Amino acid sequence: MARLQDRVVIVTGGAQGLGEGIARRLSEEAASVVIADINGAKAKSVADSLIQEGQQAIAVTLDVAERQQMRDAIQTTVERFGRLDVMFNNAGFNRPLPFMEVDEDNFNSIMRVNAYGVLVGTQEAARQMIAQGSGGKIINTASIAGRQGYADFAPYCASKASVISLTQAGAREFAKNRITVNAFAPGVVLTPLWDGLEQDMIDRGVIKQKGEFIESFSSSILLGFPSKPVDLAGIAAFLASADSDYITGQVIMADGGMVLV
Ligand SMILES: NC(=O)c1ccc[n+]([C@@H]2O[C@H](COP(=O)([O-])OP(=O)(O)OC[C@H]3O[C@@H](n4cnc5c(N)ncnc54)[C@H](O)[C@@H]3O)[C@@H](O)[C@H]2O)c1
């Protein structure tokens, strides 16, 4: 039997990039997948393509930092698939600024989605899992930026350090309910997020053409190349499966050997 057969999984930020890669892999392993994203049209197109491949999938539109929208997404999941087994709090974004230019809006907007959104997703998923009474798994997308500060990414780094703290705090809170809470921390993943970062750096005159920033940022990866979502999908599937049942409160570095902690 496939490892994720009959598991019901929500992937936030599942409409593209890493979240889409995770959703596709979980789907291949027979999970029923809910693509939850602020971009409802893209979420629907990922869900439709999974359905065409014969998988079980639906799309829901939500802003992860809006509690009622998170509740509605979980309710829709339960109405459609009967339960919730795994929550991937994966949605996130970055808006880089030089350290001295970071302002309240920049800081708060990044913290709201990347950190508060993970808190809301964890609380609401746990509420459902506790009601079901059979445990569950919460998996958060952290980052190397949660382990190491980068001058132009200060709020993003703070938000990802928060993801790690929330993972540890959640693991302690929900162990009694047999809910594990873990994170994985990618380094450089080739997704649309980097297109935006490269454009920001061009606009600020830091680089001249697309590709330069990712190339310099990737130079310290021990394995010598940046990852693709598919390189991380197996780790996500492991964390969603019973194979990881004895792991909780951990952050798995998945960065090709960039930050050694
Ligand atoms: N790409 C990388 O190099 C990298 C490295 C480390 C960690 N990460 C993390 O991986 C996660 C996914 O990043 P990605 O590279 O796939 O980015 P991406 O921009 O390609 O995809 C992010 C998805 O999240 C969605 N989203 C954004 N804000 C949302 C909100 N408020 N509510 C619901 N959905 C929202 C977007 O619509 C998009 O579909 C993020 O948490 C990011 O911080 C990425």
Side-chain angles (χ1 to χ4, degrees), residues 181-199:
V181 187
N182 291 294
F184 69 108
V188 180
V189 198
L190 300 175
T191 68
L193 178 139
W194 276 95
D195 296 338
L197 292 185
E198 294 274 352
Q199 192 56 54

Side-chain angles (χ1 to χ4, degrees), residues 86-109:
V86 181
M87 178 71 168
F88 270 93
N89 290 308
N90 166 77
F93 79 105
N94 193 5
R95 253 204 292 155
L97 277 178
F99 192 95
M100 290 298 278
E101 291 176 26
V102 172
D103 57 16
E104 190 176 351
D105 174 58
N106 179 258
F107 188 86
N108 286 346
S109 62

Side-chain angles (χ1 to χ4, degrees), residues 24-44:
R24 288 190 182 282
R25 173 60 185 267
L26 301 180
S27 205
E28 275 166 27
E29 296 211 29
S32 301
V33 178
V34 178
I35 310 292
D37 203 285
I38 203 162
N39 187 333
K42 269 195 172 173
K44 184 171 182 312

Side-chain angles (χ1 to χ4, degrees), residues 87-90 114-123 126 136-143 146-147 158-175 179-186 239 247-253:
M87 178 71 168
F88 270 93
N89 290 308
N90 166 77
N114 296 9
Y116 182 64
V118 168
L119 175 73
V120 170
T122 300
Q123 289 172 322
K137 287 171 176 283
I138 295 171
I139 304 155
N140 301 324
T141 304
S143 168
R147 292 287 197 203
S159 74
K160 291 299 182 178
S162 300
V163 171
I164 293 172
S165 303
L166 291 168
T167 300
Q168 294 174 347
R172 289 194 192 280
E173 174 63 22
F174 300 121
I179 298 168
T180 61
V181 187
N182 291 294
F184 69 108
L239 287 172
I247 300 177
T248 196
Q250 301 302 315
V251 181
I252 298 185
M253 299 304 293

